[in-house]
Amino acid sequence: MKKIPELTYYDLGEGVVAFSSTRRGGYSTGAYGEFNINRYCGDSDEAISRNREALCQLLGIGDDQLLMPHQTHQTEVIGINQHFLALLPHERQAALEGKDAIMTDLTGVCIGVSTADCIPLLLYDREHHAACAVHAGWRGTVARITEKAVAAMTAAFGSRPERLVAQIGPGIGLDSFEVGQEVYDAFLHARFDMAPISRREAKWHIDLPECNRRQLLAAGLVADSIAPSPACTFKQPGSYFSARRLGISSGRIFTAILLR
């Protein structure tokens, strides 16, 4: 039976398709079921290939136009341009290694990041028709990857932060993100204002979506232009992958943007 990926779509403006994948509408099974296109979490190559093909058909693009970096919880941003598209497959893979944000102003190219509790963000510049997808786990958040992504768009495309729109995708929420003292201390030592982003119960809880929303504001975005997702991956494992629920050997959400 032919499967069609079920996506959560976001309205970022005309000429843009923005979305997060759900678990439904794919060919993966078990903890990877059903829709996963991440090649680094243990899923079968056959299922991943079939899922990528289904997504590309839905978006109307070729497989070589569906791009996702291999994230390593760092803060490096890669820009996708015509030079990148001309690279050989192994050269592309090498260029995407160790990147946690990906940006482009090319039409017909779908860029995205992979998460399963970490926070995905999409940035769109309506003036310059440019976009960026950001993976912000707690380490990347501490290192302010979101602020760095906005700065990278400004440098590459002339983006004005106050004119950007942002979508914060599904990730783990404050209630569910229980952390050790060392994680709390990492945020504290990085000079985060802890009162609005943390809560003490048996252990500390940190609000990663709010941390990244505040980074967007610090980078110059307007509050009304930032849309947080209401979804918590830990609380909604039937809809979205959660590594804390399923273990690291499980599927990943793909949050992406395609410029038309």
Side-chain angles (χ1 to χ4, degrees):
M1 179 184 298
K2 182 178 178 180
K3 301 291 186 73
I4 300 175
E6 294 186 21
L7 308 177
T8 299
Y9 289 100
Y10 309 115
D11 182 10
L12 296 186
E14 293 184 6
V16 175
V17 180
F19 63 89
S20 292
S21 63
T22 70
R23 293 187 63 176
R24 296 181 288 271
Y27 298 92
S28 298
T29 59
Y32 302 99
E34 298 172 340
F35 185 84
N36 168 66
I37 62 168
N38 185 301
R39 297 188 183 279
Y40 304 101
C41 58
D43 198 1
S44 75
D45 288 341
E46 179 183 358
I48 292 166
S49 295
R50 295 181 76 186
N51 288 336
R52 286 181 64 97
E53 181 182 3
L55 180 59
C56 288
Q57 287 182 353
L58 182 61
L59 297 175
I61 61 174
D63 186 78
D64 62 344
Q65 296 166 293
L66 180 61
L67 302 176
M68 178 178 67
H70 183 201
Q71 303 149 194
T72 56
H73 297 275
Q74 304 299 316
T75 61
E76 192 168 349
V77 183
I78 183 172
I80 303 302
N81 52 27
Q82 292 294 349
H83 173 74
F84 177 92
L85 296 183
L87 295 176
L88 297 173
H90 72 278
E91 293 173 324
R92 284 187 174 202
Q93 184 173 352
L96 291 169
E97 180 67 30
K99 308 300 190 299
D100 283 80
I102 180 170
M103 64 183 182
T104 194
D105 61 352
L106 300 180
T107 58
V109 177
C110 182
I111 56 170
V113 291
S114 180
T115 60
D117 289 334
C118 293
I119 308 303
L121 297 98
L122 300 176
L123 300 168
Y124 176 52
D125 178 349
R126 294 172 177 169
E127 286 186 309
H128 301 93
H129 202 45
C132 184
V134 183
H135 161 247
W138 76 260
R139 291 179 180 84
T141 300
V142 165
R144 291 184 166 83
I145 185 172
T146 297
E147 292 182 51
K148 292 176 181 178
V150 173
M153 289 190 70
T154 299
F157 311 121
S159 299
R160 293 189 288 170
E162 68 274 14
R163 301 299 296 272
L164 294 177
V165 294
Q167 175 69 51
I168 301 174
I172 195 165
L174 172 66
D175 291 344
S176 304
F177 191 44
E178 184 181 82
V179 302
Q181 185 67 44
E182 72 284 358
V183 176
Y184 178 90
D185 288 344
F187 280 86
L188 184 64
H189 294 156
R191 300 184 181 280
F192 282 83
D193 182 3
M194 299 307 295
I197 64 168
S198 65
R199 183 176 73 213
R200 181 78 190 209
E201 297 180 4
K203 290 186 176 181
W204 284 107
H205 288 237
I206 289 181
D207 192 337
L208 281 184
E210 178 62 12
C211 287
N212 284 282
R213 191 187 74 86
R214 287 171 174 265
Q215 284 190 43
L216 292 169
L217 293 173
L221 272 75
V222 178
D224 290 346
S225 70
I226 304 169
S229 168
C232 172
T233 48
F234 187 83
K235 291 182 177 180
Q236 297 173 245
S239 297
Y240 300 105
F241 291 108
S242 169
R244 286 203 170 198
R245 285 278 193 188
L246 301 168
I248 59 172
S249 297
S250 59
R252 301 291 188 268
I253 303 159
F254 183 58
T255 297
I257 186 164
L258 168 65
L259 302 177
R260 297 295 194 186

